[in-house]
């Protein structure tokens, strides 16, 4: 397994109706890499400022996450502040400072270039492409994106989409990217742009997989302890890619199972702030919840 | 099987971004009874005005739906006009005339009083209670409700909830009724009010079953031909109750399978206006789509 991931590290300040967390470890790279590391080793590409505590880097290294691609640059780490409403599907971004992430131009460590599995978390499609070009012979490439890049760097994004195997994005982004009015249609339109499969994340409503041969919808695992949904989409992608990186073929049954693992891993992640819940669990907890999830869906 | 249903008949004028239907047959009774009739006979309690075409009554009768409880009253049938946005989860009610449904005070035909399965579609909880009191020894009683009655007749609704086995309502209504901030919690709070199970409908996102022993979430069937979502919740309830009325026990596996049948039946209903799609299909189509649905969820 050689899974490489490029994404962001951040300090997050999160307010929910019930609690608040101040400047906790966040960002897509944090959630993705920890979630994927339950399944096997992860190679991380990202950037932090000089204010990033060594303890955080050590935490990742203790998880079999190779941080050789994690640059430290003079300046501050990406900062995000947001608040959730009582309906936790709704959140408002109150503050974003890209800081050192704004100028990120990653160069891969030599020993990362043979990676077989590549996940390009949302970021500029030019940066995503630059990372992809440094991987010699990728076997499975999956990318995420977001509204900002769909609007402002559409041409670059379309170019990237012709080079990837799969795409992961949320429902709003799928509608924005394709102009479709319902989700199955949006999925089909994404396929027409290049990828062989697309996973559309629907937050607490689960996820939809669209391939040329079919459409699969899985619900979220109904945990009754939702403390903080921040990072759930990245944890989902981490669990999904972590599982796929243990496989040899990527057919519909494997993709579906990968989605199910992503769902289960993400359901743990939202049960506390930052990585707090992940740090309490192991693969045995994930397997046991996966079994419950499987039983719930057995008709 | 003796399933009795009380609900509304209406003329619906529906606008979607793609098409328009003018004064077509609608109302909870229409969708519920047709959906349930795939599984067995249905006894219908409702009211229409003198403008209700005999052909519609004959259509129901041709489906093994006993219309002895369908009163005709001097005046006009319930009328509803609404429009869907491009995102078909969002609709606006443009016009509602309760007409004869506003004064509805149902008296059950004598031969309906031995019904074992009772479904009380949304309507005044006083009327729902009056129907329930006329059934001698109901075995399984399930009720729906809506925002208007939750706000204006809460005490009567709470009284009704102590007399029923199950409740079916949508997510917004569940939040409004319980004050909960997430759905699992809302489900648990509904149970504390009396019912032994609750099914929370989430529209295109599926449904959640909450019982004292667990939480089960099933996704909607991903049809790619959504023409008109009107009546989907009632078709879901019809398929669910139709299946349950063929069973002897109502444990979690049966309730889950009932939800799955409701999901599949509803997915056909939205593929055209009014009953148009239902009129093209039979139980073989439902069984075959159920098999696809089951396979989609098999992990």
């Amino acid at each position: 397994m050689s899974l490489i991931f490029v994404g962001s590290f951040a300090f997050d300040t999160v307010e929910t109706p019930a609690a608040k967390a101040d400047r906790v470890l966040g960002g897509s790279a944090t959630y993705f890499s920890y979630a994927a590391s339950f399944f096997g080793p992860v190679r991380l590409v990202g950037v932090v400022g000089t204010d990033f505590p060594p303890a955080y880097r050590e935490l990742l290294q203790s998880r079999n996450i190779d941080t050789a691609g994690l640059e430290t640059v003079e300046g501050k780490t990406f900062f995000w502040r947001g608040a959730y409403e009582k309906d936790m599907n709704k959140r408002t971004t109150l503050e974003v400072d890209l800081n050192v992430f704004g100028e990120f131009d990653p160069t891969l460590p030599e020993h990362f270039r043979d990676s077989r599995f590549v996940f390009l978390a949302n970021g500029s499609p030019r940066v995503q492409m630059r990372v992809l070009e440094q991987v010699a012979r990728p076997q499975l490439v999956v990318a995420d994106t977001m509204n900002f890049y769909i609007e402002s760097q559409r041409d670059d994004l379309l170019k990237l989409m012709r080079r990837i195997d799969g795409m992961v994005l949320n429902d709003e982004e799928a509608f924005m990217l394709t102009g479709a009015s319902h989700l199955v249609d949006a999925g089909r339109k994404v396929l027409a742009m290049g990828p062989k499969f697309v996973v559309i994340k629907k937050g607490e409503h689960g996820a939809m997989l669209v391939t040329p041969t079919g459409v699969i919808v899985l619900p979220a695992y109904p945990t009754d302890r939702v403390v903080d949904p921040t990072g759930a989409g990245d944890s989902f992608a981490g669990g999904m890619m972590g599982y796929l990186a243990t496989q040899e073929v990527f057919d519909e049954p494997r993709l579906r199972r990968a989605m199910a693992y992503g769902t289960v891993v993400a359901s743990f992640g939202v049960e506390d702030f930052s990585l707090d819940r992940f740090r309490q669990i192991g693969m045995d907890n994930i397997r046991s919840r996966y079994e419950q999830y499987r039983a719930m869906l057995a008709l």
Side-chain angles (χ1 to χ4, degrees), chain A:
Chain A
M1 166 165 170
S2 53
L3 169 58
I4 189 173
F5 172 86
V6 58
S8 62
F9 281 93
F11 292 121
D12 288 348
T13 291
V14 185
E15 278 171 60
T16 74
K20 190 179 168 180
D22 202 35
R23 289 184 66 83
V24 294
L25 180 58
S28 63
T30 299
Y31 287 105
F32 181 99
S33 63
Y34 206 103
S37 73
F38 288 111
F39 299 84
V42 184
R43 295 166 172 179
L44 202 58
V45 178
V47 65
V48 293
T50 38
D51 56 353
F52 194 73
Y56 285 167
R57 188 186 286 260
E58 285 153 22
L59 168 65
L60 300 171
Q61 287 164 341
S62 77
R63 295 288 309 175
N64 212 351
I65 297 169
D66 188 336
T67 61
L70 176 54
E71 283 176 68
T72 303
V73 164
E74 189 63 47
K76 284 182 172 180
T77 302
F78 187 173
F79 175 73
W80 177 81
R81 186 164 70 89
Y84 289 87
E85 295 181 27
K86 197 177 166 198
D87 171 359
M88 292 239 210
N89 277 324
K90 291 175 190 145
R91 82 169 176 201
T92 312
T93 291
L94 300 169
E95 205 175 333
V96 186
D97 297 315
L98 286 181
N99 296 324
V100 296
F101 189 64
E103 303 297 311
F104 185 37
D105 184 10
T107 303
L108 266 52
E110 201 53 42
H111 71 282
F112 278 18
R113 297 179 189 235
D114 68 350
S115 299
R116 288 172 56 217
F117 298 89
V118 181
F119 191 87
L120 310 164
N122 83 63
S124 146
R126 277 167 234 158
V127 171
Q128 290 175 309
M129 184 70 99
R130 216 140 51 217
V131 170
L132 182 54
E133 281 167 348
Q134 296 176 58
V135 179
R137 298 168 63 87
Q139 194 183 342
L140 187 76
V141 181
V142 182
D144 195 348
T145 191
M146 65 180 287
N147 41 16
F148 177 75
Y149 302 109
I150 294 171
E151 279 180 338
S152 67
Q153 301 181 26
R154 190 179 173 86
D155 288 349
D156 290 311
L157 179 60
L158 293 176
K159 210 176 287 173
L160 179 75
M161 286 175 71
R162 290 193 287 273
R163 294 277 302 272
I164 62 179
D165 300 289
M167 189 144 191
V168 172
L169 73 182
N170 73 30
D171 38 11
E172 265 180 64
E173 292 155 0
F175 287 132
M176 185 186 276
L177 176 61
T178 62
S181 64
H182 77 95
L183 222 48
V184 176
D185 187 35
R188 299 239 165 87
K189 287 189 160 122
V190 171
L191 296 191
M193 295 170 175
K196 293 193 274 288
F197 68 89
V198 55
V199 175
I200 303 177
K201 299 176 287 183
K202 306 192 293 168
E204 67 157 345
H205 300 302
M208 175 185 282
L209 166 70
V210 183
T211 70
T213 56
V215 178
I216 284 163
V217 189
L218 293 179
Y221 178 89
T223 173
D224 51 3
R225 196 180 136 199
V226 180
V227 173
D228 175 18
T230 308
D234 299 308
S235 302
F236 170 88
M240 188 185 106
M241 287 302 289
Y243 171 79
L244 286 174
T246 66
Q247 301 297 303
E248 291 298 325
V249 290
F250 314 103
D251 54 7
E252 204 173 90
R254 259 73 159 213
L255 289 171
R256 173 169 37 192
R257 226 168 291 147
M259 260 173 71
Y261 273 108
T263 297
V264 165
V265 171
S267 77
F268 281 109
V270 302
E271 291 177 351
D272 211 334
F273 287 106
S274 187
L275 298 177
D276 293 359
R277 184 72 177 116
F278 281 155
R279 295 178 70 173
Q280 299 172 330
I281 64 163
M283 196 59 199
D284 51 332
N285 304 86
I286 291 170
R287 278 207 199 90
S288 143
R289 187 172 284 189
Y290 184 90
E291 270 316 301
Q292 287 169 40
Y293 183 65
R294 201 192 53 71
M296 179 183 96
L297 297 175
L299 292 173

